[in-house]
Amino acid sequence: MTKPQIWIATFLALFILLFLLSRLTKDAETDQTTPSVDSPVPQTDMSSKNLSAKDLMSKLGCNTCHGTEMQGTKMGPSIQNVSKYWSRDKLINYLRNPTSFADTERFQKFEEQYPGMIMPAFSHIEVKELGKIADYLLLK
Ligand code: HEC
């Protein structure tokens, strides 16, 4: 092979390698996605009990608005440090009926920051399960 031919062969090999690598990582990513991620509507089917708080939250669609690490998205604020603002009981009550807490300055800011987005009420979820979520969030 001439020198330019060797160069072309090397580049081609590198290109194919990168392509294969990107395919591999893509597959790994799609494996991890949960079914609820693409729907902002919280799922109401609570057939599987004994879920961890984290699984419960992805099932209910919290991640869609609050992010997979609760870091916040364009659709909802971060809920990584809610212990700053909520006690366990209050937080459970909040999850059951968010609008009744919406009159503080903090929540008025949320309204401006996330126009049109409303934190859905989870009153159809058992208090025990909400307690699990509250415990998890308060420990963050
Ligand atoms: C449709 C989007 C959406 C979903 C789904 C959602 N939230 Fe929210 N959440 C919001 C928005 C927007 C706010 C800001 C307050 C408001 O606008 O009502 C909020 C506020 C909160 C707060 C108060 C944050 C603070 O600073 O006090 C908590 C806690 C919370 N959400 C937890 C949850 C949990 C837990 C779930 C799942 C069970 C959930 N959210 C699902 C959009 C959502």
Side-chain angles (χ1 to χ4, degrees):
M1 279 203 276
T2 64
K3 231 178 180 176
Q5 276 175 332
I6 292 174
W7 275 112
I8 289 169
T10 317
F11 273 118
L12 218 67
L14 261 176
F15 188 78
I16 290 168
L17 196 75
L18 277 176
F19 177 74
L20 286 176
L21 266 176
S22 73
R23 286 291 295 260
L24 278 178
T25 46
K26 232 193 209 140
D27 282 349
E29 269 169 28
T30 44
D31 279 351
Q32 283 171 4
T33 51
T34 49
S36 57
V37 161
D38 46 10
S39 103
V41 181
Q43 297 184 2
T44 50
D45 167 32
M46 288 306 300
S47 50
S48 30
K49 306 265 158 169
N50 301 326
L51 286 174
S52 72
K54 227 177 158 184
D55 290 342
L56 210 57
M57 287 179 66
S58 66
K59 189 169 172 164
L60 295 175
C62 315
N63 304 2
T64 317
C65 298
H66 293 291
T68 45
E69 300 300 320
M70 311 299 127
Q71 76 279 21
T73 71
K74 270 187 251 164
M75 302 203 284
S78 157
I79 46 172
Q80 276 172 342
N81 52 4
V82 289
S83 58
K84 236 161 87 187
Y85 310 108
W86 301 98
S87 67
R88 188 177 190 273
D89 285 354
K90 273 235 174 92
L91 185 53
I92 293 173
N93 280 331
Y94 172 74
L95 295 175
R96 290 173 59 80
N97 188 8
T99 43
S100 63
F101 293 82
D103 54 350
T104 67
E105 205 178 305
R106 219 157 57 79
F107 278 87
Q108 270 151 28
K109 277 228 184 81
F110 283 151
E111 219 165 277
E112 289 161 24
Q113 241 176 320
Y114 309 98
M117 295 309 297
I118 307 167
M119 166 72 187
F122 291 92
S123 48
H124 56 294
I125 307 301
E126 269 180 44
V127 173
K128 211 171 102 194
E129 315 258 63
L130 293 178
K132 225 196 268 180
I133 293 176
D135 285 338
Y136 175 75
L137 287 178
L138 291 172
L139 274 179
K140 279 227 134 194

